[in-house]
Amino acid sequence: MAYATCADTGVPMAVAVKVVIAGGFGVGKTTLVGALSEIDVLRTEEVMSVASQDVDHLTGTETKSTTTVAMDVGRITLPVKRAELDYDVQVMLFGTPGQDRFWFMWDDLTRGALGAIVLADTRRLKDCFAAVEYFEVEDIPFLVAVNHFEGAEPYPVGEVRHALRLPPAVPLLTCDARDTGSAREVLIELVTHAHQRVST
């Protein structure tokens, strides 16, 4: 838990928030949590079995051998300087499982979340539709980050927005989930977006 100390009173204030990373199967959620987290990530990955071949959609992820069966949990500390306050915000990162059969967990994983990052892969864009719809219906602030994959066609952001039918108020950006700097930019954009929604 991080604490902010008010300069006037000297009273420490606890500051911690929860962010959910969602999206389709194999889109890079575990990778993004790993790139961001300053602690060892709690992973619930299991080796994919032969039985899952007829259940999980593997197009574009043929080399994937493991899958998240519950969640990934990480943490990152973001420094904040505002007016007389100078403090750290601890962001707890919760990566959701991507397969349809694990959606029953989403209500628990998203409860109390500041917002969500929906990762998208332009080779399998429809795989993120369910996550986008979920956060729209639940009225949870979210953004869409198009994860860069080798060999994927780099569609213009405007085309991706149109394909996802995203309203202008929802941020849409590109990222490389493997790169810490790129992942941080996405996270900061989400925190800023969520704060602006609360403030209006």
Side-chain angles (χ1 to χ4, degrees):
M1 182 69 71
Y3 292 90
T5 301
C6 178
D8 295 332
T9 65
V11 177
M13 298 182 298
V15 181
V17 298
K18 175 182 183 180
V19 166
V20 174
I21 292 88
F25 173 72
V27 78
K29 300 180 295 295
T30 298
T31 301
L32 185 72
V33 173
L36 285 169
S37 184
E38 62 198 10
I39 63 172
D40 290 338
V41 176
L42 169 64
R43 291 184 169 92
T44 57
E45 286 198 312
E46 294 293 338
V47 175
M48 294 174 63
S49 66
V50 174
S52 72
Q53 291 178 353
D54 295 329
V55 179
D56 296 325
H57 177 55
L58 300 179
T59 304
T61 62
E62 291 82 2
T63 60
K64 188 171 174 60
S65 61
T66 61
T67 184
T68 300
V69 296
M71 70 189 85
D72 299 310
V73 182
R75 187 190 73 210
I76 182 173
T77 303
L78 297 178
V80 175
K81 295 183 185 296
R82 181 179 299 152
E84 73 280 3
L85 294 179
D86 185 354
Y87 59 99
D88 292 335
V89 174
Q90 287 194 351
V91 182
M92 298 303 300
L93 307 163
F94 288 80
T96 67
Q99 298 96 318
D100 299 3
R101 64 183 182 276
F102 294 124
W103 283 352
F104 70 91
M105 302 173 59
W106 279 40
D107 287 344
D108 289 331
L109 287 175
T110 60
R111 188 173 294 116
L114 173 75
I117 296 167
V118 177
L119 280 179
D121 178 353
T122 55
R123 301 169 302 174
R124 301 174 292 126
L125 201 56
K126 65 183 178 63
D127 288 358
C128 73
F129 285 1
V132 168
E133 182 179 13
Y134 178 88
F135 295 116
E136 286 179 337
V137 170
E138 296 298 321
D139 197 29
I140 296 173
F142 74 98
L143 60 73
V144 175
V146 179
N147 190 13
H148 173 72
F149 285 90
E150 298 297 333
E153 187 172 346
Y155 290 96
V157 170
E159 289 187 19
V160 176
R161 180 178 294 279
H162 177 73
L164 293 176
R165 298 184 180 88
L166 287 180
V170 176
L172 173 65
L173 56 161
T174 59
C175 74
D176 183 340
R178 302 165 298 181
D179 181 74
T180 298
S182 180
R184 272 182 75 99
E185 288 179 11
V186 172
L187 179 61
I188 291 170
E189 179 71 19
L190 172 67
V191 173
T192 301
H193 171 60
H195 176 71
Q196 288 174 344
R197 270 198 46 178
V198 171
S199 301
T200 56

